[in-house]
Amino acid sequence: HDALQYTGPGADSITLPGTVYPDWRGGVQQVDALRALARQGRPLRLIPAYGDITAYFVIERVEETRTYYKPDGTFRKQEFSVSLRLFDDGGAA
């Protein structure tokens, strides 16, 4: 077994799941918009549905699965997850 050494707390991270039904609301661009934000590499504020303002996070990864295809090949259900890591600016903010 490899030995473990505690070097302090790791960076806080969170993975949020979601589901998009493009025919119901929003279309098929929502997950692509998350990827575009991730490519910018900028820290973003996470604001939960209950309205509390949280710290800044960066998007590390966006994954998706598409299912329930229509005859024309477009999907009817898109499940995704967004992995976020706490942005630590060293107290500069």
Side-chain angles (χ1 to χ4, degrees), residues 36-53:
L37 286 172
R39 280 191 299 275
Q40 291 176 13
R42 292 183 309 130
L44 303 165
R45 250 311 163 203
L46 176 63
I47 303 175
Y50 50 83
D52 285 355
I53 305 295

Side-chain angles (χ1 to χ4, degrees), residues 8-36:
D12 290 334
S13 61
I14 185 171
T15 300
L16 303 172
T19 303
V20 175
Y21 295 96
D23 289 339
W24 185 61
R25 280 195 143 162
V28 298
Q29 297 83 18
Q30 296 177 50
V31 174
D32 289 338
L34 287 172
R35 285 194 176 99

